[in-house]
Amino acid sequence: MTAGVPAGRPRDPGVDERITRAAALVYGTDGWAGFSVDAVARKAGVGKASIYLRWPNKEALFVATLASRLGGVRDIDTGSVRDDLVALARQVLATFLGEDGGAVLRLTVEAGGIPAGREHLDRFLRSQVAAARAIVLRGIDRGQLSRDTSVTLLLDCISGGALNHAVATPADLRAQVAAGADRYAEELVDFVLSSSYRVPR
Amino acid sequence: MTAGVPAGRPRDPGVDERITRAAALVYGTDGWAGFSVDAVARKAGVGKASIYLRWPNKEALFVATLASRLGGVRDIDTGSVRDDLVALARQVLATFLGEDGGAVLRLTVEAGGIPAGREHLDRFLRSQVAAARAIVLRGIDRGQLSRDTSVTLLLDCISGGALNHAVATPADLRAQVAAGADRYAEELVDFVLSSSYRVPR
């Protein structure tokens, strides 16, 4: 038996996931001011006891939600700098167009005032920088990027371009943008790379 | 005497500005959930009566704040596509690094749930698109940009790049980013334009 889990039926990981998913939605819609165990229980369709069985209070539930759903950007090594950046752009688009997008944006706005919020946001941001830096360094090693390629500028254009595309879209065009996201990631990367790419694929 | 203003001393425009400035700060920090005439009065250092003299309720105060402080992006015509885009990038950086930045980000997150919020945000976003489109069209006319330059990609990279630079910065580097913002706007534009620029200045 795992430490911390009471005797009896083992914890159902499907319920954990349902609760943190609902928690991300509640936080994304109502922010920290509207975040409560009560609201999350209602959204998840579980009793409050099911939540308190797992987490002692809303702060702990929130931290677990950040960890499980807003983990950050993964580095992907495809062998091609172009395909690596396309994968990065797609991750950013999927994050902000997906159901956790509201929560990530909220965190950007109000991280400073929430327990563990600033710390988690900084970790999320650093994961983007780390992924971009790894992609650029491999690209330079392969001779696909010039030695003086700026990680900051490349990341701001790819990640910021994807962010802008996802959030700076009038409401009535949101569905259209989501449907074209994979294709857009390629166009964005090709547009940015045409300034710094050396060797065609 | 102006319609709607009670007899007696004329309204002091300095007080209007002090109130809407405080309102933008309160909204940026606490969101719509924490936005109240009381909180704004405290922040502005005025009595609640001074606010109610001007606006009948918090919704009206909020709409006036959006209109006076978060008006959108202006088109600038310098004669050079590069300088036009630098001006655009500087406007975006100034917005998000300045004291109204929190309010604009908040609005991006929670516009849908606030009276007139969505409408104002869409107007703000359209002002960016309009400014970028005008810059690109003039650039094409002058032969500085190729005919098939994508307004969407250019705007996502410039505006999104500036946005990312302003908000995706760990807290301890914020002051450094603000100090270098003007210079960064030039680097960003030169980086993006190197892919689509035709005739050097």
Side-chain angles (χ1 to χ4, degrees), chain A residues 34-159:
Chain A
F35 191 81
S36 68
V37 169
D38 206 34
V40 174
R42 257 180 286 126
K43 184 66 131 186
V46 303
K48 285 204 277 182
S50 295
I51 296 183
Y52 283 122
L53 178 71
R54 292 163 169 84
W55 299 284
N57 49 45
K58 74 170 194 168
E59 285 78 9
L61 168 60
F62 184 70
V63 170
T65 300
L66 296 183
S68 71
R69 301 200 63 88
L70 314 175
V73 164
R74 282 165 304 111
D75 180 28
I76 293 182
D77 185 359
T78 65
S80 147
V81 72
R82 188 236 183 217
D83 293 348
D84 287 359
L85 289 171
V86 169
L88 176 67
R90 283 183 180 156
Q91 282 189 66
V92 174
L93 286 164
T95 297
F96 287 103
L97 292 169
E99 64 173 16
D100 294 331
V104 182
L105 269 184
R106 278 273 173 196
L107 197 59
T108 307
V109 175
E110 52 185 43
I114 309 179
R118 185 73 240 176
E119 194 187 321
H120 188 89
L121 179 63
D122 283 351
R123 203 181 309 136
F124 182 89
L125 297 174
R126 277 194 298 264
S127 76
Q128 285 193 339
V129 176
R133 187 176 305 277
I135 291 170
V136 168
L137 291 181
R138 289 195 303 265
I140 291 174
D141 274 354
R142 287 192 215 99
Q144 294 174 323
L145 293 176
S146 74
R147 296 226 148 259
D148 57 356
T149 304
S150 161
V151 175
T152 300
L153 287 170
L154 203 70
L155 178 62
D156 282 341
C157 285
I158 301 284
S159 191

Side-chain angles (χ1 to χ4, degrees), chain B residues 21 37 62 74-75 90 96 114 139 145 156 162 170 175 187 189:
Chain B
R21 185 182 171 200
V37 168
F62 184 71
R74 283 165 304 110
D75 179 28
R90 284 183 179 157
F96 287 102
I114 309 179
L145 293 176
D156 282 341
E187 291 172 358
V189 168

Side-chain angles (χ1 to χ4, degrees), chain B residues 43-167:
Chain B
K43 185 66 131 185
V46 303
K48 285 205 277 182
S50 295
I51 296 183
Y52 284 122
L53 177 70
R54 293 162 168 84
W55 300 284
N57 48 46
K58 74 170 192 167
E59 286 78 10
L61 167 60
F62 184 71
V63 170
T65 301
L66 295 182
S68 70
R69 299 199 64 88
L70 314 174
V73 165
R74 283 165 304 110
D75 179 28
I76 295 183
D77 184 359
T78 64
S80 146
V81 71
R82 188 236 183 217
D83 293 349
D84 287 359
L85 288 171
V86 169
L88 176 66
R90 284 183 179 157
Q91 283 189 64
V92 175
L93 286 164
T95 298
F96 287 102
L97 292 170
E99 65 173 15
D100 294 330
V104 181
L105 269 184
R106 278 274 174 195
L107 197 59
T108 307
V109 175
E110 53 186 43
I114 309 179
R118 186 73 239 175
E119 192 187 323
H120 188 88
L121 180 63
D122 283 351
R123 202 179 311 135
F124 183 89
L125 297 175
R126 277 195 297 266
S127 76
Q128 285 194 338
V129 176
R133 188 176 303 279
I135 291 169
V136 168
L137 291 181
R138 289 194 304 264
I140 291 174
D141 274 354
R142 285 191 217 101
Q144 293 173 325
L145 293 176
S146 74
R147 297 227 146 258
D148 56 357
T149 302
S150 161
V151 174
T152 301
L153 287 170
L154 203 70
L155 177 62
D156 282 341
C157 285
I158 301 284
S159 189
L163 169 65
N164 201 65
H165 198 69
V167 304

Side-chain angles (χ1 to χ4, degrees), chain A residues 110 156 164-165 184 194-195, chain B residues 106 156 164-165 184 194-195:
Chain A
E110 52 185 43
D156 282 341
N164 201 64
H165 198 68
Y184 173 79
S194 57
S195 70
Chain B
R106 278 274 174 195
D156 282 341
N164 201 65
H165 198 69
Y184 173 80
S194 57
S195 70

